[in-house]
């Protein structure tokens, strides 16, 4: 009997996941929620989409997965994790590739992520959190460094990170961050990382998959977030991606696993938040005293986009078998 798998996603990342699951000989049908029309074109397996559903329609999604006897659900959308979809699916005994809501807070709250990073000793930018615009502006007016990032605490499709290259611009950004509504009720003011000779760092992304204990690297990539060339313009959810990033080497990859991923998993576990699924690190390599050091910029509690689109084709393991192995520990 062929298995049914559900992908909770849409867009390019979701299409790449459908393509990868479609290559598994175990799979007979793929449910894509909400999905898109292109998905059927990348696989010869049957694909059913649900365009009228949102990824946060938890009750409806759980009902569909029960009715269709889905063997594995891949929750690839951040707001679905924040809505507790994984928790509700697991209550029904449905296998899920993705973390529970509390573990996923490492993405849906930047403030929690920073506090956890501080607790376990990660290299990360200095940060200050605010709810009051006036308090944030007063803080900025007292600073000597002109460059800052203003970030919404909550989810905003990867867009609520506003760079500022002067104090006046940073003050303006504090007001602008409020356009992200509830996500920016709490917001962070973070330092702009600079290395030797006032050089900026270089971004990279690293993906691991874990059953809460064992860590397996899925690969590295480099996302390009600014809307214009030469790192100009606003941040977007991603303008394109390449793999592998030439800035990483074996020594750095080993350091990232030991000094970031293992510390984070242990830190989450110490709070009773066992993390199972794909964990994405958005990092920055900064040269300090002529040594490249990996700093944590953000975590994603799922497949990243557009990174998944360049990484998934390079994964030789059967994705369905990999997902099932995670759920089985």
């Amino acid at each position: 009997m062929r298995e049914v798998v559900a992908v909770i996603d849409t867009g390019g990342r979701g299409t790449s996941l459908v393509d990868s699951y479609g290559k598994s000989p175990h799979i007979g049908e793929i449910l894509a929620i909400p999905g898109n029309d292109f998905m059927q074109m990348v696989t010869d397996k049957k694909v059913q989409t649900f365009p009228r559903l949102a990824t946060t329609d938890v009750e409806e999604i759980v009902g569909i997965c029960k009715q269709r006897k889905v063997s594995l659900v891949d929750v690839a959308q951040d707001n679905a994790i924040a809505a507790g979809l994984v928790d509700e699916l697991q209550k029904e005994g449905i296998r899920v590739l993705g973390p529970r809501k509390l573990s996923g807070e490492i993405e849906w709250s930047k403030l929690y992520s920073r506090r956890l990073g501080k607790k376990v000793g990660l290299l990360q930018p200095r940060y200050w959190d605010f709810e009051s615009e006036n308090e944030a502006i007063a803080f900025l007016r007292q600073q000597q460094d002109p460059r800052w990032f203003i970030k919404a605490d909550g989810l905003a499709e990867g867009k609520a990170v506003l760079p500022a290259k002067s104090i006046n611009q940073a003050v303006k950004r504090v007001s602008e961050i409020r356009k992200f509504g509830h996500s920016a009720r709490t917001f962070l003011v973070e330092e702009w990382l600079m290395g030797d000779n006032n050089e900026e760092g270089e971004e990279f992304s690293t993906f691991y998959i874990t059953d809460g204990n064992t860590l397996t690297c899925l690969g590295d990539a480099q996302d390009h977030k600014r809307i214009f060339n030469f790192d100009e313009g606003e941040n977007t959810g991603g303008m394109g991606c390449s793999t592998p990033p030439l800035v990483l080497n074996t020594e750095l990859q080993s350091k990232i696993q030991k000094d970031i991923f293992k510390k984070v998993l242990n830190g989450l576990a110490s709070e009773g938040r066992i993390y199972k699924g794909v964990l994405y690190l958005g990092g920055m390599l900064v040269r300090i005293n002529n040594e490249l050091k990996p700093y944590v910029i953000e975590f994603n509690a799922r497949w990243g986009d557009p990174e998944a689109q360049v990484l998934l084709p390079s994964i030789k393991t059967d994705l369905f078998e990999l997902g099932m192995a995670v759920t089985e520990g």
Side-chain angles (χ1 to χ4, degrees):
M1 177 180 168
R2 295 290 186 91
E3 310 280 358
V4 179
V5 67
V7 173
I8 312 302
D9 203 10
T10 187
R13 172 184 52 201
T15 304
S16 295
L17 284 166
V18 167
D19 176 39
S20 293
Y21 280 112
K23 293 172 182 174
S24 171
H26 303 289
I27 300 301
E29 184 178 2
I30 302 170
L31 309 182
I33 306 173
N36 65 67
D37 291 340
F38 185 61
M39 288 174 169
Q40 185 62 81
M41 299 176 67
V42 300
T43 180
D44 58 1
K45 306 293 173 65
K46 181 182 177 184
V47 178
Q48 182 177 355
T49 61
F50 298 80
R52 295 185 181 180
L53 284 181
T55 55
T56 52
D57 289 334
V58 173
E59 186 176 345
E60 291 88 343
I61 294 171
V62 172
I64 290 168
C65 292
K66 285 177 63 179
Q67 180 186 12
R68 301 298 295 276
K69 294 181 171 54
V70 169
S71 299
L72 178 69
V73 183
D74 191 325
V75 182
Q77 188 62 269
D78 51 9
N79 56 10
I81 290 166
L85 176 58
V86 173
D87 306 58
E88 296 306 312
L89 287 165
Q90 289 181 344
K91 284 178 185 178
E92 298 296 332
I94 299 169
R95 295 179 183 274
V96 191
L97 180 61
R100 296 171 68 90
K101 180 176 180 177
L102 272 180
S103 301
E105 191 174 3
I106 197 170
E107 175 174 12
W108 57 260
S109 171
K110 291 185 181 67
L111 180 55
Y112 170 75
S113 179
R114 285 288 183 247
R115 286 174 173 169
L116 179 68
K118 188 174 182 179
K119 174 182 173 182
V120 301
L122 300 184
L123 277 178
Q124 59 184 15
R126 291 178 301 156
Y127 70 93
W128 295 261
D129 59 282
F130 297 94
E131 292 185 4
S132 162
E133 290 183 42
N134 289 337
E135 289 179 10
I137 289 168
F139 167 81
L140 286 165
R141 293 290 190 199
Q142 296 172 357
Q143 303 308 308
Q144 299 296 317
D145 194 332
R147 292 161 297 199
W148 298 89
F149 279 97
I150 314 300
K151 301 182 177 183
D153 173 48
L155 298 174
E157 298 179 338
K159 299 177 177 65
V161 175
L162 306 180
K165 293 187 176 181
S166 69
I167 294 296
N168 286 339
Q169 188 180 28
V171 167
K172 184 180 177 183
R173 293 301 206 188
V174 167
S175 298
E176 291 174 355
I177 202 71
R178 293 300 199 185
K179 70 183 178 183
F180 294 101
H182 181 76
S183 293
R185 184 176 61 182
T186 299
F187 60 93
L188 280 66
V189 175
E190 288 194 359
E191 70 170 326
W192 191 308
L193 292 173
M194 303 296 289
D196 296 345
N197 302 316
N198 216 30
E199 290 182 2
E200 294 191 23
E202 186 165 356
E203 289 190 66
F204 69 92
S205 305
T206 295
F207 283 74
Y208 273 80
I209 194 165
T210 178
D211 59 5
N213 182 29
T214 304
L215 275 165
T216 300
C217 185
L218 296 172
D220 310 292
Q222 191 168 56
D223 181 18
H224 305 283
K225 291 183 172 62
R226 299 292 187 87
I227 196 167
F228 301 126
N229 290 338
F230 309 110
D231 283 334
E232 297 293 335
E234 301 296 323
N235 274 325
T236 70
M239 295 299 296
C241 197
S242 58
T243 186
L246 300 181
V247 70
L248 288 181
N249 56 36
T250 303
E251 182 182 351
L252 281 168
Q253 288 165 328
S254 177
K255 188 176 182 63
I256 288 164
Q257 177 176 338
K258 179 170 65 85
D259 292 345
I260 297 178
F261 281 94
K262 286 187 176 180
K263 286 184 177 181
V264 165
L265 279 189
N266 291 337
L268 287 168
S270 73
E271 298 179 1
R273 307 180 191 223
I274 304 301
Y275 191 101
K276 294 188 177 185
V278 176
L279 182 59
Y280 156 114
L281 164 69
M284 181 79 72
L285 286 173
V286 183
R287 190 172 295 280
I288 307 290
N289 296 325
N290 208 33
E291 179 185 354
L292 283 175
K293 295 182 177 292
Y295 279 74
V296 173
I297 302 301
E298 64 173 348
F299 289 104
N300 286 178
R302 35 80 191 186
W303 298 101
D305 196 15
E307 293 91 345
Q309 298 179 52
V310 297
L311 284 178
L312 281 165
S314 68
I315 297 174
K316 304 306 180 187
T317 305
D318 184 307
L319 193 58
F320 178 74
E321 292 180 358
L322 189 61
M324 293 295 282
V326 168
T327 67
E328 293 167 0

